[in-house]
């Protein structure tokens, strides 16, 4: 019987919830280096849940310098089966004002300075990213958001830019012409790596500002973003408690993420060295050690 375990990747303030008891900080090493910070293991209504601050506690890691591979590997080591990303984004549409949440179902990856795969050395795998988020986990997120009385949009396209600078006006207008909904700096390659690790992934984006395309918001101000971010975080804490309680009800045993590596690895068995198989043990040991 599979034990389903949920992890939240997001800001360090999301786990400051009084009801989270029996807190334990876990320090892990991975073949890809160290994750962003120690991972918090805690319980809510007797359910185990993990929290990983993406930028480290105190927000000291730039988006381009996040060790995404180590983060995903570490969570997989802990037996995590489901990840919900909670992240701040800018809005590319008039009807997505600051304070609104978006359950993202598509990404446009515009990053270029990040390691994007676990399968870079000797063993090659091609996983499908046509539908990068888990529909069943999105349903769980939607239920939690509704019960939290948060204004939200189901489905939306997230442009992931490199950063840490915000967009130019020309870039912002380009992304709007693509009909994208929000823009941020963190969900790629996170979503790709979660898929390679066969971990179901969902993204809840919290709008903090209109991107610079908006005539009244041509200069994105960090202090203003933080003000909305703190308000959003309070709402997100309520959502997360409901999500921890409900996510297992929505799990689909036929979710394509569950066994996606079965048809992804293309490298001939005789070309796979034990050194690389060992390195990939946490991520792909299920298929490589058969």
């Amino acid at each position: 019987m599979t034990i389903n375990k949920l992890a939240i990747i997001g800001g360090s303030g999301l786990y400051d919830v009084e009801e989270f008891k029996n807190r334990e900080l876990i320090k892990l090493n991975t073949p890809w280096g160290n994750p962003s910070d120690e991972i918090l293991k805690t319980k809510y209504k007797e359910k185990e849940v993990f929290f990983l601050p993406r930028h480290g506690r105190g927000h000291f890691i730039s988006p381009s310098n996040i060790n995404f591979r180590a983060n995903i590997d570490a969570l997989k080591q802990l037996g995590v089966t489901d990840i919900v990303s909670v992240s701040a984004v800018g809005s590319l549409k008039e009807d997505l004002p600051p304070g609104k949440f978006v359950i993202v179902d598509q990404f446009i990856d515009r990053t270029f300075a990040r390691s994007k795969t676990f399968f870079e050395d000797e063993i090659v795998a091609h996983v499908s990213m046509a539908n990068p988020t888990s529909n069943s986990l999105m349903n769980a997120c939607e239920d939690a958001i509704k019960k939290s009385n948060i204004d939200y949009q189901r489905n939306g396209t997230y442009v992931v830019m490199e950063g840490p600078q915000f967009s130019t006006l020309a870039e912002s207008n380009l992304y709007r012409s693509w009909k994208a909904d929000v823009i941020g700096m963190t969900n790629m390659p996170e979503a790709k790596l979660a898929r390679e690790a066969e971990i179901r992934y969902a993204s809840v984006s919290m709008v903090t500002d209109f991107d610079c395309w908006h005539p009244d918001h041509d200069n994105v101000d960090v202090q203003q973003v933080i003000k909305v971010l703190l308000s959003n975080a309070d709402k997100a804490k309520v959502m997360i408690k409901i999500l921890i309680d409900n996510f297992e009800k929505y799990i689909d045993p036929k979710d394509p993420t569950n066994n996606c590596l079965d048809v992804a690895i293309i490298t001939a068995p005789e070309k796979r060295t034990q050194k690389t198989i060992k390195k990939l043990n946490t991520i792909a040991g299920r298929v490589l050690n058969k």
Side-chain angles (χ1 to χ4, degrees), residues 211-224:
D211 203 44
C212 64
W213 64 270
H214 198 291
D216 298 330
H217 299 79
D218 56 350
N219 290 304
V220 180
D221 183 285
V222 169
Q223 297 308 313
Q224 183 63 30

Side-chain angles (χ1 to χ4, degrees), residues 108-152:
I108 298 173
D109 187 358
R110 295 280 291 170
T111 64
F112 52 82
R114 310 175 187 192
S115 298
K116 301 190 181 190
T117 181
F118 291 110
F119 298 94
E120 64 178 0
D121 194 19
E122 294 183 333
I123 297 177
V124 179
H126 302 284
V127 297
S128 171
M129 291 299 296
N131 297 294
T133 56
S134 164
N135 190 61
S136 56
L137 197 52
M138 289 167 64
N139 290 339
C141 290
E142 184 170 22
D143 179 53
I145 289 171
K146 281 181 178 178
K147 288 176 178 174
S148 304
N149 295 314
I150 296 168
D151 188 21
Y152 79 100

Side-chain angles (χ1 to χ4, degrees), residues 89-115:
V89 294
S91 169
L92 294 168
K93 291 187 174 177
E94 194 79 55
D95 61 352
L96 293 175
K100 195 164 185 174
F101 285 22
V102 180
I103 304 171
V104 173
D105 70 325
Q106 286 294 329
F107 298 101
I108 298 173
D109 187 358
R110 295 280 291 170
T111 64
F112 52 82
R114 310 175 187 192
S115 298

Side-chain angles (χ1 to χ4, degrees), residues 217-238:
H217 299 79
D218 56 350
N219 290 304
V220 180
D221 183 285
V222 169
Q223 297 308 313
Q224 183 63 30
V225 166
I226 291 173
K227 183 179 178 182
V228 180
L229 188 62
L230 292 173
S231 172
N232 282 347
D234 289 337
K235 292 188 285 187
K237 289 176 189 178
V238 178

